[in-house]
Amino acid sequence: MMNEMSYLFFLAVLGTTLLSCILYVVFFVSQNAKVRVVARGVLLLSGVLQTLYIGSRYLIAGYTPITSQHEAVVFFAWAATWAYLSFRWRYTVKNFGTFVAMLIMLLLLAASFASRDILPLKPVLQSWWLPVHAGVSLFAYAFFSLAFCGGLMYLLQERELKRKKFGYFFSRLPSLDALDQLNSHCLAAGFAFLTLGIVTGSLWTRQAWGTYWQWHPKEIWSMITWFVYLLQIHQRFTAGWRGKRAAVMAIAGFAIVIFTLWGVMYPLGGVQSYGQ
Amino acid sequence: MGSDSFILLGVNHKTTPVEIREKIALSGGYEEPLQRLKTISGCRECFLLSTCNRVELLVVGEPGPAMEEQLIRFLFGETAVADDCRGYIYIYSGIDAVSHLFTVAASLDSLIVGEAQILGQIKEAYRYASSLHCTGPLLNRLLHKTFSVAKRIRTETGIGSSAVSISSAAVELARKIFGDLRDKRVLLVGAGEMAELAAQHLVGQGALSVTVANRTLSRAVDLAKRFDGHAVSFEELVPQLEHADIIISSTGAPNIILEKDQVKPVMRTRRNKPLFFIDIAVPRDLDPGLNDLENVYLYDIDDLSQVVEMNRSERDREAKKAERIVEEETIKFQRWQEGMALTPTILELRGKADEICRQELEKTLGRMANLTAGERQSFEKMAAAITAKILHDPLQYLKDDSCGGRDNTQIKVETVRNVFGLNKNERQ
């Protein structure tokens, strides 16, 4: 019964996100403000449904559902949705929603292909560090994914401005400055979360195995990600790395994040691979 | 001599890239080129218009390859091969030239359709041409008509109100780069009218300050005062780049005044804050290579046209209306010009005299009821003889073409028409 309801929630999440995605694309093409209001409403609904879905899995599994690939990616999408919606609260970046909605849709699609089975969690991993560490880390990824969308938009817009060929995107994309600020905010927020994630991760490792650092590939790649973003932040605030360079770095950083998830974490067996 | 007609030859932003235009732009003022144009053989009247988007030569003379060749030589220099240049120019003669001039004056042919500057530029060019006695009755008439057509289009269509000028195009681009213009500083290099206009626009959008750099400091001080900004000397240009965000350059300098290598180190001290260069000068002031620098955006006058192009459809409707007015006025002008020819003037003059004669006879004979048919005829003959004798000398004056070798028909026709009030009907 609970399982079926949970599954229904997941389908509803996919449906609403897809609808929101389509509406955002329609808005992008037509630039009709009414469509955007509806699209945002539907995305908010999708965010609520995602929350309900994660809640239902928590009830079924009995622990915070961020352990399997499916769960982690759904949580990733959920974090991105709420990070975007909270961002939206503070200031508007023209047509940002279209790009973010598509990214969320892609994440949810990726999640829908992964196994939705609930695996029993090793007793050694059952700790309240798990939701704290995974949640904080995935929020970091969510902000980096927003920076990635902003970076893409920046490159598109910069290209039009440099080449002086004003095509489809010119009027539809926000100003370079807005995108650059977006990059700076997302980077700062994401980096703070990532640092917390790494600290909590090593505390959790210490609690489970008595050592802060195990040279697990996931750990190594997380440190690489951290250093890449550290470099970006450092260069932005000291040498004034901004604009195109910052956008390219945001995209490269996100590529490493994705690689850490799908190139390192899951092929090794995800969270279950720890301590082997 | 009856085949005299308008010949218009020109280059504009549509036919000719800025690289070519900047070579032929007359940066030395109108006097010298007009004097030179006047000496072209077969050229009776001439007029010259040079703006940053176009150079137009308008002469009255006999159309044909010989005249075209001379005009091309005038425009591109003695060494130019006429056939190479033909790709860049357009040539109109007769009524097409009239229509083109109306179109230009109405700002339908402008880079920014509907902008108001062009009319002022034509008026200024005309002032020079007439003060140097380059224009005659045909061109005087044509240019005055041009001014009134442009005015009519401005009042009867919405073309001016929806006009997006170079300055608004610049503002639009600045907004795409900077988002908010409220804390941005503008640097004007050169104190041209167009740059001033653009700066005004940017200040209207909230730009923080305006600094003016000019070769003559007094002009810079005057302009800076208007914006509550300050003036700097030309030598301070590069250090000023550290503080400015938007640079509008419009000097009359014959070559590049700011090179890529001068700007590159500035970007480091600016910590890569974007710089937006707008080069509205022809010939260009700024090194085209600037655009290759990261976070530097350079737009010259041709590039701005593409921004303008995007807003085009809104204006197309008004432009259609304006084109109809141009067409209508061209036809009217053609009627007038036909009237200016010799034969119709003679006919009109005779017609007018006969008409007066007939009316007066009717009045007088109507009161003298008891006249015989023979007596009536004598009266009529007398009246006809008086008109014929009065008209004899004016007609002789019109028909006489041995007038010191120079053909003055148009002037004579204009004189006779004015003396006898033949232009009255169509002036009202």
Side-chain angles (χ1 to χ4, degrees):
Chain A
M1 171 62 198
M2 195 68 204
N3 269 325
E4 278 158 24
M5 214 167 88
S6 168
Y7 184 57
L8 277 180
F9 276 138
F10 186 60
L11 290 182
V13 164
L14 281 181
T16 48
T17 312
L18 183 65
L19 181 62
S20 158
C21 219
I22 291 169
L23 285 169
Y24 265 118
V25 171
V26 169
F27 166 64
F28 193 80
V29 174
S30 70
Q31 295 292 296
N32 181 340
K34 274 185 208 150
V35 180
R36 185 182 56 194
V37 174
V38 180
R40 199 187 303 145
V42 176
L43 188 67
L44 186 69
L45 178 65
S46 155
V48 171
L49 286 167
Q50 288 173 44
T51 315
L52 289 175
Y53 175 62
I54 292 170
S56 72
R57 277 190 80 99
Y58 177 79
L59 290 179
I60 296 166
Y63 56 85
T64 319
I66 330 187
T67 49
S68 77
Q69 183 182 351
H70 172 79
E71 288 164 347
V73 178
V74 167
F75 196 89
F76 189 170
W78 177 81
T81 310
W82 287 104
Y84 168 70
L85 289 171
S86 71
F87 227 81
R88 178 64 202 54
W89 201 268
R90 283 188 50 211
Y91 66 99
T92 326
V93 175
K94 197 178 175 190
N95 278 325
F96 189 40
T98 310
F99 287 77
V100 176
M102 283 201 261
L103 185 86
I104 294 170
M105 190 65 223
L106 283 178
L107 286 174
L108 287 171
L109 273 180
S112 71
F113 286 117
S115 156
R116 293 191 308 107
D117 293 342
I118 293 175
L119 302 167
L121 194 61
K122 277 187 201 168
V124 69
L125 291 173
Q126 289 183 6
S127 149
W128 59 272
W129 281 117
L130 165 66
V132 173
H133 164 70
V136 163
S137 304
L138 283 166
F139 257 106
Y141 288 2
F143 277 105
F144 292 147
S145 70
L146 295 188
F148 164 76
C149 289
L152 274 186
M153 289 165 80
Y154 188 98
L155 290 187
L156 281 172
Q157 183 70 305
E158 210 241 16
R159 210 173 106 109
E160 305 241 315
L161 275 165
K162 277 277 189 196
R163 297 193 170 188
K164 301 160 186 176
K165 297 246 184 307
F166 303 109
Y168 192 72
F169 290 110
F170 182 70
S171 60
R172 290 180 167 78
L173 290 180
S175 69
L176 292 181
D177 184 69
L179 291 169
D180 196 51
Q181 273 185 35
L182 177 85
N183 174 292
S184 142
H185 290 178
C186 290
L187 207 62
F191 187 72
F193 277 115
L194 188 67
T195 310
L196 266 179
I198 285 180
V199 170
T200 51
S202 73
L203 289 174
W204 181 22
T205 315
R206 160 103 178 130
Q207 190 200 43
W209 290 284
T211 165
Y212 290 107
W213 188 258
Q214 292 193 42
W215 292 105
H216 186 277
K218 173 67 174 65
E219 288 174 348
I220 297 168
W221 276 97
S222 296
M223 273 325 271
I224 292 175
T225 313
W226 189 78
F227 275 114
V228 167
Y229 281 104
L230 178 69
L231 176 78
Q232 280 183 55
I233 292 214
H234 178 265
Q235 289 300 88
R236 173 178 275 275
F237 291 107
T238 59
W241 271 26
R242 57 162 84 218
K244 190 178 179 179
R245 209 173 290 184
V248 170
M249 287 298 284
I251 292 170
F254 187 65
I256 297 175
V257 165
I258 293 295
F259 177 74
T260 312
L261 270 183
W262 275 288
V264 180
M265 181 85 166
Y266 299 124
L268 290 178
V271 76
Q272 311 290 347
S273 68
Y274 284 105
Q276 282 170 354
Chain B
M1 70 165 208
S3 57
D4 268 4
S5 172
F6 297 113
I7 302 142
L8 188 146
L9 182 145
V11 298
N12 66 13
H13 55 97
K14 289 178 194 158
T15 59
T16 320
V18 64
E19 291 82 7
I20 308 278
R21 278 197 332 263
E22 62 191 11
K23 279 191 203 124
I24 53 185
L26 310 163
S27 42
Y30 279 115
E31 279 98 346
E32 185 269 331
L34 273 170
Q35 299 284 15
R36 213 148 43 82
L37 191 58
K38 231 161 89 172
T39 61
I40 286 183
S41 70
C43 164
R44 288 185 213 297
E45 303 178 27
C46 60
F47 167 78
L48 182 60
L49 173 69
S50 169
T51 74
C52 45
N53 291 323
R54 64 179 67 247
V55 177
E56 312 243 354
L57 310 176
L58 177 59
V59 300
V60 175
E62 198 169 326
M67 180 57 105
E68 284 171 16
E69 187 106 343
Q70 288 190 77
L71 292 177
I72 290 172
R73 284 263 166 77
F74 173 82
L75 205 54
F76 291 90
E78 288 302 324
T79 50
V81 182
D83 288 331
D84 289 352
C85 307
R86 274 180 197 273
Y88 296 124
I89 57 168
Y90 44 86
I91 303 175
Y92 298 107
S93 58
I95 209 68
D96 293 336
V98 173
S99 161
H100 178 77
L101 188 65
F102 287 174
T103 310
V104 169
S107 188
L108 291 171
D109 194 42
S110 297
L111 181 62
I112 309 108
V113 172
E115 54 105 359
Q117 287 167 36
I118 184 70
L119 186 58
Q121 287 164 335
I122 295 178
K123 279 184 176 164
E124 196 199 343
Y126 174 62
R127 255 199 308 279
Y128 279 107
S130 68
S131 70
L132 291 170
H133 306 294
C134 293
T135 55
L138 276 180
L139 277 186
N140 284 336
R141 172 73 186 191
L142 173 61
L143 281 151
H144 282 123
K145 195 72 208 165
T146 303
F147 303 149
S148 69
V149 170
K151 210 184 263 170
R152 184 181 160 201
I153 286 174
R154 201 148 283 280
T155 48
E156 286 182 24
T157 72
I159 199 151
S161 60
S162 59
V164 183
S165 61
I166 279 282
S167 7
S168 5
V171 166
E172 193 177 341
L173 283 167
R175 287 182 156 283
K176 278 293 177 198
I177 294 169
F178 298 112
D180 197 349
L181 300 183
R182 245 175 301 171
D183 54 345
K184 297 298 173 277
R185 293 165 194 276
V186 181
L187 173 63
L188 293 183
V189 184
E193 212 170 312
M194 197 122 132
E196 189 185 333
L197 211 70
Q200 230 158 36
H201 244 83
L202 288 164
V203 170
Q205 296 291 325
L208 188 64
S209 69
V210 176
T211 306
V212 186
N214 198 39
R215 283 208 201 275
T216 44
L217 196 64
S218 63
R219 174 91 178 92
V221 171
D222 286 348
L223 189 54
K225 215 186 279 166
R226 222 167 305 164
F227 291 111
D228 233 1
H230 57 277
V232 296
S233 78
F234 216 71
E235 288 65 40
E236 290 172 83
L237 180 57
V238 175
Q240 280 299 323
L241 291 181
E242 280 174 36
H243 314 291
D245 299 290
I246 302 166
I247 296 97
I248 306 170
S249 187
S250 65
T251 74
N255 35 33
I256 302 283
I257 58 166
L258 195 62
E259 300 282 349
K260 185 179 172 182
D261 293 338
Q262 290 173 283
V263 178
K264 214 171 167 181
V266 175
M267 286 315 283
R268 196 163 308 142
T269 43
R270 286 180 62 84
R271 292 164 44 87
N272 290 320
K273 269 193 304 175
L275 266 179
F276 179 27
F277 287 97
I278 304 162
D279 187 355
I280 49 183
V282 175
R284 284 173 293 180
D285 284 342
L286 307 174
D287 182 359
L290 285 177
N291 199 44
D292 302 334
L293 293 173
E294 215 172 294
N295 296 313
V296 174
Y297 303 89
L298 167 70
Y299 279 75
D300 67 29
I301 199 137
D302 277 10
D303 301 329
L304 288 172
S305 74
Q306 307 198 29
V307 184
V308 168
E309 203 63 28
M310 292 192 308
N311 309 329
R312 217 186 158 94
S313 58
E314 302 157 29
R315 280 195 314 275
D316 277 356
R317 210 162 21 100
E318 294 304 311
K320 282 264 144 48
K321 234 195 272 178
E323 276 159 23
R324 182 190 44 77
I325 296 178
V326 166
E327 229 169 279
E328 188 186 314
E329 294 287 346
T330 307
I331 293 169
K332 272 196 208 163
F333 190 84
Q334 192 174 17
R335 295 253 164 81
W336 172 82
Q337 207 189 349
E338 280 162 8
M340 280 294 284
L342 195 53
T343 322
T345 304
I346 292 172
L347 289 177
E348 229 177 294
L349 189 55
R350 282 213 177 112
K352 183 166 179 177
D354 289 347
E355 178 64 22
I356 293 170
C357 192
R358 193 183 54 77
Q359 279 176 3
E360 293 305 317
L361 270 175
E362 252 169 43
K363 248 198 264 169
T364 314
L365 296 180
R367 268 182 268 138
M368 303 166 81
N370 45 1
L371 281 182
T372 62
E375 280 167 328
R376 283 181 81 97
Q377 254 177 7
S378 306
F379 269 116
E380 279 165 11
K381 267 192 189 153
M382 182 192 76
I386 291 172
T387 39
K389 284 201 169 147
I390 288 176
L391 286 184
H392 177 77
D393 283 328
L395 290 178
Q396 210 50 42
Y397 167 74
L398 274 179
K399 287 173 187 167
D400 184 16
D401 37 42
S402 61
C403 199
R406 198 169 160 82
D407 177 32
N408 287 326
T409 312
Q410 294 301 348
I411 300 169
K412 290 195 290 188
V413 167
E414 184 77 6
T415 311
V416 167
R417 293 185 74 96
N418 282 335
V419 167
F420 287 94
L422 296 180
N423 288 337
K424 259 187 198 157
N425 292 341
E426 137 268 353
R427 281 230 174 109
Q428 280 157 2

